[in-house]
Amino acid sequence: MLWLHNLRFISVFAVIVLHSAAAFYSPSFLDEQLQNDFNFVGGIFFNSATRWCVPVFVTVSGFLLLDKDDDIIFFYKKRLNRLFFPFLFWSLFFTIFLYFKLVVKSQPERFLMDVLNNLLNGYAYYHLWYLSMIPFLYLITPFLRVFLDTLSKFQFLSLTLFCVFMSLINFLWNSFLFDDLSGSFFGVLFVQYIGYFMLGGFFSKYCVKLGCARLLFMLTTSLLVTFFGVCYLSPEYFYGYLSLNVCVSAICIFLLFRLWQPLNSDFFGMSVKLSALSFGVYLLHPFYLEVFHYIFKSEVVNFGTSFLYIPASSLFTFLFSCVTIHFFSKNHILSKLI
């Protein structure tokens, strides 16, 4: 399944692009910057083009896990070994990194408050929220498998669409009625992503055939809706991983990789290798990205353009992260951290 390997590493690269673009985005000054700051528009453009990455991660997990028949003890042991030490090590690493970052900004007094706030949110650094959410999906996976195996195709699809629909409605409701979308206990966050997870399981068990032209049209439309929705309507909603536009983008991306033959090819003979590094690259990438921002971003703001800077910083971060994680993978101890 070369398409799946390609989807994994390209999704990780999309995460890096998204985080690089976020450096140029400030919702507090949206109207003013849209009129006066071309770099800001570049940030919105690249951010809008990559919001599908996290829903695709969850869908891929469902695709790989829900149509298997592992022993429950074996499954939990494997998932625990896969997540526990990486989560522990990178939480410590980025807590130390946060301290030095605040020292550089002459704000070390913020450290304890930031650490406490991160702990209450369930993660040590912004990108590690995913590692505090996905274990809860893993916990219910063996039971979800047993239940889904009893359903017909129509029942499976109906339940999956219902779960997706309820998550989308919940996010829409909260986006327009409440200002704060982060007030829930982090341990229940996984409930909102069950729909994406089950969608992956459905795609694994049943073949879904849609024309690539139709998928490309839907993808383009959903990306445009994201861009213009952020610019002129509600950035909080249209940027959300659980917004309708991002959901459509994620489904189209997943199916395009599965159904379109050019995306099922071995990219320069590196697809499997890059896929194997993708988890580690995800864990490490904020370090290189923020170092790159610290050195070069001010020059871009004054003299350059985000339309060039964001791809360049993303490529730099991806390549350096790949090289570093490759060396990790060659060491018996370090390989357990990725």
Side-chain angles (χ1 to χ4, degrees):
M1 293 190 292
L2 284 172
W3 68 270
L4 194 58
H5 292 295
N6 293 333
L7 181 57
R8 288 178 67 183
F9 81 78
I10 289 176
S11 295
V12 168
F13 183 74
V15 169
I16 297 173
V17 174
L18 185 154
H19 289 158
S20 180
F24 293 91
Y25 171 71
S26 176
S28 302
F29 304 100
L30 181 61
D31 294 335
E32 176 186 343
Q33 288 184 297
L34 275 174
Q35 297 174 10
N36 304 317
D37 191 347
F38 190 63
N39 287 328
F40 181 72
V41 176
I44 295 179
F45 174 81
F46 284 106
N47 212 324
S48 300
T50 53
R51 299 304 296 184
W52 49 266
C53 55
V54 168
V56 164
F57 282 151
V58 181
T59 305
V60 167
S61 294
F63 183 89
L64 293 172
L65 298 177
L66 283 179
D67 197 30
K68 289 187 176 180
D69 192 24
D70 302 305
D71 173 73
I72 187 170
I73 301 299
F74 173 79
F75 175 82
Y76 283 145
K77 183 177 180 181
K78 185 176 180 180
R79 295 301 122 193
L80 180 65
N81 290 336
R82 183 79 172 121
L83 290 178
F84 180 74
F85 289 111
F87 184 75
L88 201 63
F89 172 79
W90 293 105
S91 294
L92 178 61
F93 176 88
F94 278 104
T95 299
I96 296 170
F97 178 67
L98 173 63
Y99 175 76
F100 283 106
K101 190 170 77 168
L102 292 174
V103 168
V104 170
K105 292 182 176 180
S106 301
Q107 298 174 324
E109 68 281 359
R110 283 182 46 192
F111 177 69
L112 290 179
M113 186 59 67
D114 284 357
V115 169
L116 178 60
N117 184 62
N118 290 340
L119 286 174
L120 291 175
N121 286 319
Y123 50 83
Y125 214 65
Y126 64 89
H127 69 304
L128 295 177
W129 75 270
Y130 187 80
L131 267 71
S132 67
M133 181 276 294
I134 200 70
F136 292 96
L137 283 177
Y138 291 162
L139 278 174
I140 66 170
T141 295
F143 308 101
L144 198 55
R145 285 174 178 168
V146 173
F147 173 67
L148 293 176
D149 281 343
T150 65
L151 303 182
S152 67
K153 180 179 179 179
F154 176 77
Q155 291 170 330
F156 194 156
L157 179 60
S158 299
L159 180 61
T160 298
L161 293 180
F162 174 77
C163 290
V164 172
F165 176 76
M166 293 305 294
S167 293
L168 299 186
I169 290 296
N170 177 67
F171 185 74
L172 178 67
W173 181 274
N174 288 334
S175 294
F176 289 102
L177 291 183
F178 303 101
D179 294 328
D180 186 8
L181 299 179
S182 59
S184 300
F185 170 56
F186 70 89
V188 302
L189 182 61
F190 80 99
V191 175
Q192 302 175 54
Y193 290 90
I194 288 177
Y196 285 130
F197 194 64
M198 291 174 59
L199 201 59
F202 183 83
F203 290 150
S204 177
K205 192 169 186 178
Y206 302 105
C207 183
V208 177
K209 292 185 177 180
L210 288 174
C212 290
R214 182 181 299 178
L215 288 170
L216 285 170
F217 173 78
M218 293 170 60
L219 174 62
T220 303
T221 302
S222 63
L223 295 178
L224 288 172
V225 168
T226 303
F227 178 80
F228 288 107
V230 168
C231 289
Y232 300 111
L233 294 174
S234 169
E236 289 78 12
Y237 174 74
F238 286 92
Y239 264 170
Y241 298 134
L242 295 164
S243 62
L244 177 61
N245 47 292
V246 172
C247 178
V248 172
S249 298
I251 293 172
C252 290
I253 288 286
F254 186 93
L255 292 177
L256 277 170
F257 270 80
R258 190 178 188 189
L259 301 174
W260 198 15
Q261 188 56 38
L263 297 176
N264 196 26
S265 305
D266 194 355
F267 291 174
F268 306 105
M270 295 292 292
S271 294
V272 176
K273 294 178 182 178
L274 290 174
S275 176
L277 299 175
S278 60
F279 182 55
V281 170
Y282 177 87
L283 294 171
L284 173 61
H285 80 271
F287 171 75
Y288 284 120
L289 183 60
E290 294 192 32
V291 169
F292 194 90
H293 283 339
Y294 179 75
I295 298 172
F296 295 109
K297 188 191 170 188
S298 61
E299 299 300 320
V300 173
V301 170
N302 293 326
F303 306 108
T305 168
S306 62
F307 280 94
L308 294 177
Y309 174 83
I310 292 170
S313 63
S314 301
L315 186 60
F316 165 89
T317 300
F318 183 73
L319 292 176
F320 273 71
S321 297
C322 281
V323 170
T324 303
I325 296 304
H326 173 71
F327 283 112
F328 269 52
S329 69
K330 298 300 180 183
N331 181 277
H332 176 67
I333 296 177
L334 294 179
S335 63
K336 298 182 183 298
L337 306 176
I338 56 170

